[in-house]
């Protein structure tokens, strides 16, 4: 039996480390991934910069105004002119070193 993902469950919340707005969600139907995505939309240029083998871009779509936003992978079949916002997996910004003197 698989355990539940840690955190507040699905839906928008804040990162416990850096307080950035995030969305934590189980994505996929066969081999689902727990994805933690930033809620800051990216421009196409920012998407190209942020994309990496271990950092994917996700389409943030909402079927109706009464449902929560859902993440959809932007694979090869994703339309180039998609009107939805696109986000990436969350990574906390580097911490500033602190001294305790």
């Amino acid at each position: 039996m698989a355990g539940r993902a840690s955190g507040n469950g699905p839906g928008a919340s804040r990162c416990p480390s850096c307080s950035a707005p995030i969305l934590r969600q189980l994505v996929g139907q066969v081999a689902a991934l727990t994805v933690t995505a930033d809620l800051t939309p990216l421009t196409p240029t920012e998407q190209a910069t942020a994309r990496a083998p271990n950092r994917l871009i996700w389409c943030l779509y909402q079927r109706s105004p009464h449902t929560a936003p859902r993440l959809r992978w932007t694979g090869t079949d994703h339309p180039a002119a998609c009107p939805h916002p696109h986000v990436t997996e969350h990574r906390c910004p580097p911490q500033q070193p602190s001294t305790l003197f």
Side-chain angles (χ1 to χ4, degrees):
M1 183 168 162
R4 291 179 53 169
S6 62
N8 298 347
S13 61
R14 297 244 174 222
C15 174
S17 297
C18 68
S19 299
I22 58 170
L23 176 67
R24 179 169 287 149
Q25 178 183 321
L26 202 61
V27 178
Q29 296 176 359
V30 177
L33 302 169
T34 300
V35 175
T36 302
D38 281 324
L39 288 181
T40 305
L42 301 172
T43 64
T45 305
E46 291 171 331
Q47 290 176 43
T49 303
R51 185 175 281 120
N54 292 324
R55 193 171 191 201
L56 302 175
I57 304 297
W58 300 92
C59 176
L60 185 64
Y61 74 101
Q62 198 166 2
R63 290 189 180 168
S64 80
H66 307 291
T67 60
R70 301 289 299 167
L71 295 171
R72 181 186 303 170
W73 182 34
T74 58
T76 55
D77 60 339
H78 192 75
C82 176
H84 303 110
H86 291 80
V87 296
T88 189
E89 292 179 278
H90 177 68
R91 289 189 183 162
C92 292
Q95 297 292 323
Q96 295 296 328
S98 62
T99 57
L100 300 174
F101 300 117

